[in-house]
């Protein structure tokens, strides 16, 4: 794995995620180079990424003044990327809220200047409104198939858009990226914690999809990245209106993972330890560890009988390959496949972030075949 910060796995993995979402290494290095030789400082981290985002907004506004709307849109999206990359590692408080709101503002401007439409949707659920962005399918007559795309542990629907872009749309599939419980707006703006029974938000989202005349209720897929590798299979296992499911990064027993991380004070976590209580909605780490024990798939996966794909990195430092192997073995589907990228044919790290495009293309093609 490419480590921009040789002695800091967490920050290095964040840089890789930013690049996966369209960040430019030269722009990143311009802001982060002073941090490479210094002692890790969370405030300096946030400031560097905020400055990287602000610079892209400045350039986007300059492009707009010249009439270059498409260039401006790309600049705004890179600003979103940079604001959210810094925000992921920033503890709850004014600085985190500021970065997040700057990201939402920049994304709104990106949407206004995009060459293709992007629709904001709001979905009723037992956890309140679940906001999402819908990327319409291209060149489809009648109702289009749709893939619901779930966040991981610390990502938002705006960053999901930066990661997936038009890959589904260009294959004639709509993509609905949703901030569900424990992620994005519900967590950051309303304090809605995550939940183990992700079939609840999944069913609410499907209920919404079937009301739309442009989406086909018989061709709904579900994709999750990182912790979404738990959310998506759990949702599909108990919501069989989902017709195909994929995990971009497998999860088998998330509670076991966090117990080990906490006991060993692991240096290969993607985020600081404070984030588990925040996402789980608990006061203490001990309470969070207890709650996350329910985030396991052993009992759910035998109920998953739809086509099922797992894409995993051979050298995933966050979630061992054994989790992917256990998950695929337990799935009740007769059409199931585990694809392991080894670092030559695609990225071997977590969610293949060290060489992500082969995984991105494979996932989109797999859904196109099945929907």
């Amino acid at each position: 794995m490419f480590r921009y910060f040789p002695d800091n796995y967490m920050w290095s993995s964040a840089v890789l995620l930013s690049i996966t979402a369209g960040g430019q290494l030269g722009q990143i290095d311009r802001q982060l180079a002073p941090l490479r030789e210094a002692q890790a400082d969370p405030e300096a981290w946030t400031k560097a990424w905020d400055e990287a985002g602000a610079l892209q907004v400045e350039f986007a506004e300059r492009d707009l003044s010249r009439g270059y709307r498409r260039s401006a849109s790309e600049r705004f999206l890179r600003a979103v990327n940079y604001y959210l990359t810094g925000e992921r590692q920033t503890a709850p408080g004014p600085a985190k809220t500021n970065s997040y709101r700057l990201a939402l503002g920049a994304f709104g401007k990106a949407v206004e200047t995009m060459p293709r439409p992007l629709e904001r949707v709001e979905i009723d659920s037992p956890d309140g409104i679940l906001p999402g962005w819908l990327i319409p399918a291209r060149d489809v007559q009648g109702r289009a198939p749709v893939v619901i795309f779930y966040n991981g542990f610390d990502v938002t629907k705006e960053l999901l858009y930066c990661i997936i872009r038009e890959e589904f749309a260009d294959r004639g599939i709509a993509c609905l990226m949703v901030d569900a419980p424990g992620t994005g707006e519900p967590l950051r703006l309303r304090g809605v914690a995550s939940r183990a029974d992700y079939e609840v938000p999944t069913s609410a989202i499907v209920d919404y999809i079937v009301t739309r005349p442009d989406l086909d209720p018989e061709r709904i897929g579900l994709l999750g990245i990182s912790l979404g590798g738990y959310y998506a299979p759990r949702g599909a296992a108990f919501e069989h209106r989902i017709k195909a499911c994929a995990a971009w990064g497998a999860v088998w027993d998330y509670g076991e993972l966090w117990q080990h991380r906490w006991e060993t004070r692991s240096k290969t976590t993607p985020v600081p330890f404070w984030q588990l209580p925040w996402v789980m909605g608990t006061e203490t780490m001990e309470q969070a560890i207890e709650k996350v024990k329910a985030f396991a798939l052993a009992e759910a996966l035998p109920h998953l009988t739809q086509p099922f794909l797992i894409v995993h990195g051979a050298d995933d430092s966050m979630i061992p390959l054994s989790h992917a192997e256990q998950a695929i073995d337990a799935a009740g589907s007769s059409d199931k496949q585990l694809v392991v990228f080894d670092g030559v044919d695609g990225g071997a790290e977590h969610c293949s972030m060290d060489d992500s495009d082969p995984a991105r293309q494979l996932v989109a093609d797999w859904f196109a075949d099945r929907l």
Side-chain angles (χ1 to χ4, degrees):
M1 172 179 137
F2 166 63
R3 293 205 178 199
Y4 182 83
F5 296 94
D7 299 320
N8 192 324
Y9 175 87
M10 186 184 302
W11 283 8
S12 292
S13 68
V15 170
L16 285 181
L17 178 58
S18 178
I19 293 171
T20 292
Q24 301 297 303
L25 185 57
Q27 296 171 5
I28 293 168
D29 181 63
R30 203 169 295 122
Q31 301 300 136
L32 267 64
L35 277 60
R36 296 186 76 183
E37 304 301 327
Q39 185 174 358
D41 179 353
E43 291 185 7
W45 170 267
T46 306
K47 183 174 182 290
W49 286 101
D50 280 354
E51 289 177 351
L55 193 60
Q56 292 305 304
V57 169
E58 177 185 334
F59 292 151
E61 297 288 1
R62 185 183 66 186
D63 287 343
L64 271 182
S65 71
R66 297 170 174 172
Y68 303 148
R69 294 176 61 82
R70 190 160 188 163
S71 297
S73 183
E74 290 298 321
R75 291 281 198 183
F76 283 129
L77 285 173
R78 277 195 290 276
V80 172
N81 177 337
Y82 299 155
Y83 286 136
L84 290 176
T85 300
E87 187 262 1
R88 289 176 59 237
Q89 313 291 353
T90 305
K96 186 179 191 70
T97 299
N98 180 63
S99 299
Y100 183 62
R101 291 193 180 278
L102 288 170
L104 293 184
F107 195 82
K109 291 181 179 180
V111 171
E112 291 174 3
T113 52
M114 282 179 185
R116 299 177 185 173
L118 191 62
E119 178 187 353
R120 180 178 167 91
V121 303
E122 295 189 343
I123 300 165
D124 289 326
S125 84
D127 294 289
I129 293 295
L130 304 180
W133 290 104
L134 178 69
I135 309 171
R138 299 186 67 205
D139 303 323
V140 173
Q141 299 296 320
R143 288 186 160 188
V146 58
V147 171
I148 304 162
F149 194 1
Y150 275 154
N151 293 312
F153 186 58
D154 55 345
V155 184
T156 73
K157 63 188 181 302
E158 290 77 22
L159 205 55
L160 289 186
Y161 176 79
C162 293
I163 290 171
I164 203 65
R165 296 294 188 101
E166 302 291 326
E167 296 300 340
F168 285 118
D170 287 344
R171 290 167 171 83
I173 302 171
C175 183
L176 178 56
M177 303 153 295
V178 182
D179 281 343
T183 73
E185 289 182 44
L187 177 64
R188 287 160 173 79
L189 302 183
R190 304 201 317 269
V192 177
S194 189
R195 56 190 300 160
D197 54 346
Y198 238 67
E199 63 272 19
V200 174
T202 300
S203 293
I205 296 165
V206 174
D207 286 344
Y208 168 78
I209 287 172
V210 302
T211 69
R212 293 189 59 115
D214 56 335
L215 301 179
D216 189 342
E218 299 300 320
R219 293 186 291 168
I220 303 173
L222 181 56
L223 167 65
I225 191 168
S226 195
L227 180 54
Y230 168 82
Y231 292 147
R234 170 75 196 215
F238 298 110
E239 175 47 88
H240 281 241
R241 289 178 292 177
I242 300 294
K243 301 304 182 184
C245 178
W248 187 347
V251 174
W252 173 246
D253 188 327
Y254 205 55
E256 177 186 274
L257 280 172
W258 270 102
Q259 184 77 45
H260 175 74
R261 289 171 177 175
W262 182 237
E263 289 177 350
T264 62
R265 300 304 191 268
S266 172
K267 301 297 185 183
T268 57
T269 58
V271 292
F273 286 119
W274 55 257
Q275 193 159 69
L276 186 66
W278 183 54
V279 171
M280 292 294 133
T282 64
E283 293 294 327
T284 68
M285 189 65 175
E286 288 70 27
Q287 292 168 337
I289 292 291
E290 189 61 31
K291 181 175 179 179
V292 80
K293 287 179 181 178
F295 287 59
L297 288 173
E299 295 182 7
L301 278 177
H303 299 280
L304 197 163
T305 56
Q306 306 97 312
F308 184 39
L309 170 70
I310 295 177
V311 178
H312 207 81
D315 301 324
D316 191 323
S317 302
M318 298 183 204
I319 300 180
L321 178 58
S322 60
H323 280 239
E325 294 167 340
Q326 288 173 285
I328 205 71
D329 287 345
S333 174
S334 58
D335 177 7
K336 57 184 180 180
Q337 182 180 9
L338 168 61
V339 176
V340 180
F341 286 108
D342 63 9
V344 178
D345 58 349
E349 251 299 337
H350 184 61
C351 296
S352 295
M353 291 300 168
D354 48 330
D355 181 8
S356 61
D357 194 57
R360 178 169 38 233
Q361 300 300 329
L362 171 66
V363 166
D365 281 342
W366 183 87
F367 275 109
D369 280 348
R370 283 154 182 82
L371 297 180

